[in-house]
Amino acid sequence: MGTIDLRSDTVTLPTPSMREAIYHAELGDDVFGEDPTTNRLEEMSAERMGKEAALLVASGTMGNLVCTLTHCRRGEEVILGDRSHTFLYEAGGMSTLGGIHPHTISNQPDGTMRLEDIEGAIRGDNVHFPRTRLICLENTHNRCSGSALTSEYIDSAAALAKEHGLSVHLDGARIFNAAVALGIDVKELTANVDSLSFCLSKGLSAPVGSVVCGSSEFIAEARRARKVLGGGMRQAGVIAAAGIKALDEMVDRLAEDHAAGIKALEEMVDRLAEDHENARRLAEGIASITGLLIEPARVQTNIVYFELDEGRMTPKALVTELNKKEVKLLSVGVRRLRAVTHYGISTEDIDLTVKALGEVMKAA
Ligand SMILES: Cc1ncc(COP(=O)(O)O)c(C=O)c1O
């Protein structure tokens, strides 16, 4: 048995068809706008998200930062959740590099922020205050059990933002997981946000890259922000080719010649449902083990958080014991652990993981 690596869906390796597409990708200098494969991925992404334009960036972190820098000037403020990835795990980029002030409010367990809390956080016109400029949402919400924000919630937050003259950015690193979990077209989740970024390199299994989407005017400005951050990549088509693999094999066979095969976004999006099923199976298995705490009903997508009962071993010790059994999980707090299902993880792997967890807990 090989190692079962459930630390993150970022460990996914490119599919054989992606490797093939990378090999054959038609390339040019993307900083001159001349990389046909990157241009194709950007067009497809914009179309898929219902926006005018798109921009390939190096990572989800860069996507969120590029958008924040494009929406806000120095001294302006962003309202975002206290458990959002941007606040917790993006090295404070908005304040370090942009002079932008993060204003956190509580994330509810389902990943939302209460609309009344958002409204209460919007600053009035007063010389003492930074100016509120942007609201950031996250879908699916990583630290909130990978929960999916509904289109109704996003639309209400967007309406509130509009009422106050603010913009909305969506960290859609796993937006396709949300669409699959809710059984809706991804466009329903993006229709009323001003910008969004989504990752190619998580559940969609491409090796590198994220895409930012928005109006043509917004993307033209975002292109400048990306350049400032050193993110103007030259023959970026080697990255874009793998991303394209997911979008549109059926509809666009001509593009397949062009970008040496455009298959996987479609293929990979459809198979996310399998990851969700495996995550639920894992959550139920964990719930049956004495000493482990989880609410399986919270698991809607591919992210499983659970806790160790007090007085048991530490998460780090549990991770070490599991490693000996060729299972990898992530320790993320004093008692918390995380497992993320993804391409390459089978139902059998889930059952072996539950078995290994059961054995380690029994011996603890
Ligand atoms: C919700 C969310 N946003 C953004 C990111 C950042 O993506 P990257 O690791 O590509 O910078 C992550 C990474 O896990 C994430 O979970």
Side-chain angles (χ1 to χ4, degrees):
M1 180 188 101
T3 300
I4 301 170
D5 194 343
L6 293 167
R7 288 172 300 168
S8 175
D9 47 9
T10 54
V11 301
T12 42
L13 299 176
T15 61
S17 67
M18 287 177 186
R19 290 175 191 261
E20 187 80 7
I22 291 166
Y23 183 78
H24 292 290
E26 198 185 337
L27 303 174
D29 188 329
D30 182 51
V31 177
F32 293 139
E34 290 172 5
D35 186 287
T37 309
T38 303
N39 292 342
R40 181 79 195 118
L41 172 67
E42 291 176 347
E43 276 164 32
M44 293 167 100
S45 300
E47 199 276 317
R48 192 82 185 224
M49 295 294 165
K51 299 293 176 198
E52 285 173 3
L55 182 71
L56 174 67
V57 292
S59 65
T61 301
M62 185 185 271
N64 288 331
L65 184 57
V66 157
C67 288
T68 312
L69 292 174
T70 305
H71 284 294
C72 304
R73 303 274 80 83
R74 295 185 77 79
E76 293 185 330
E77 188 169 74
V78 177
I79 296 174
L80 77 176
D82 62 351
R83 283 190 265 173
S84 63
H85 192 278
T86 299
F87 179 64
L88 291 175
Y89 301 121
E90 294 176 16
M94 73 170 78
S95 50
T96 314
L97 302 179
I100 299 160
H101 195 233
H103 185 163
T104 54
I105 57 178
S106 293
N107 274 122
Q108 301 305 305
D110 64 359
T112 61
M113 296 175 277
R114 286 199 193 101
L115 294 182
E116 56 268 35
D117 290 348
I118 297 180
E119 191 153 31
I122 299 170
R123 310 280 192 161
D125 184 14
N126 182 316
V127 72
H128 295 88
F129 299 154
R131 287 197 172 107
T132 310
R133 182 73 200 91
L134 182 68
I135 297 170
C136 284
L137 305 174
E138 182 176 318
N139 202 12
T140 61
H141 201 292
N142 182 339
R143 278 309 296 259
C144 294
S145 310
S147 49
L149 304 188
T150 63
S151 54
E152 291 77 14
Y153 173 76
I154 294 172
D155 293 349
S156 315
L160 177 65
K162 202 165 181 194
E163 206 181 296
H164 291 272
L166 308 177
S167 300
V168 176
H169 170 67
L170 179 65
D171 174 356
R174 298 182 181 83
I175 190 76
F176 288 109
N177 290 88
V180 168
L182 297 166
I184 58 177
D185 188 304
V186 72
K187 283 195 191 82
E188 292 187 43
L189 297 170
T190 58
N192 290 310
V193 302
D194 299 284
S195 63
L196 70 116
S197 59
F198 72 91
C199 292
L200 299 165
S201 59
K202 298 194 165 62
L204 300 187
S205 301
V208 184
S210 285
V211 183
V212 163
C213 304
S215 67
S216 303
E217 199 187 347
F218 180 86
I219 294 298
E221 276 305 302
R223 202 173 280 281
R224 291 184 74 87
R226 182 185 71 170
K227 194 77 178 86
V228 168
L229 297 174
M233 297 178 283
R234 300 296 174 170
Q235 283 72 42
V238 293
I239 294 171
I244 283 173
K245 270 292 183 186
L247 271 178
D248 199 307
E249 181 181 25
M250 300 307 174
V251 189
D252 213 335
R253 283 186 187 278
L254 286 178
E256 193 166 354
D257 301 338
H258 203 62
I262 294 179
K263 293 190 185 103
L265 209 42
E266 204 75 81
E267 281 167 18
M268 299 311 287
V269 169
D270 288 346
R271 60 152 303 285
L272 292 177
E274 220 176 285
D275 295 344
H276 298 179
E277 195 49 53
N278 279 334
R280 273 193 292 274
R281 190 179 180 94
L282 179 61
E284 274 152 24
I286 290 170
S288 71
I289 297 172
T290 311
L292 299 182
L293 307 172
I294 188 167
E295 282 181 63
R298 285 229 170 280
V299 177
Q300 295 179 315
T301 58
N302 67 327
I303 300 182
V304 180
Y305 283 100
F306 63 100
E307 295 202 349
L308 273 160
D309 218 349
E310 218 161 351
R312 293 277 182 155
M313 62 196 336
T314 63
K316 282 202 173 126
L318 178 58
V319 164
T320 307
E321 288 309 308
L322 282 173
N323 276 349
K324 293 180 192 161
K325 293 179 181 290
E326 307 246 36
V327 174
K328 288 191 180 179
L329 300 187
L330 205 63
S331 151
V332 288
V334 195
R335 280 161 49 196
R336 269 188 138 203
L337 292 113
R338 187 181 84 166
V340 183
T341 55
H342 51 77
Y343 175 65
I345 294 293
S346 65
T347 307
E348 196 196 356
D349 292 333
I350 296 299
D351 294 343
L352 288 169
T353 300
V354 172
K355 184 164 168 274
L357 273 167
E359 286 166 4
V360 172
M361 291 307 293
K362 209 166 176 186

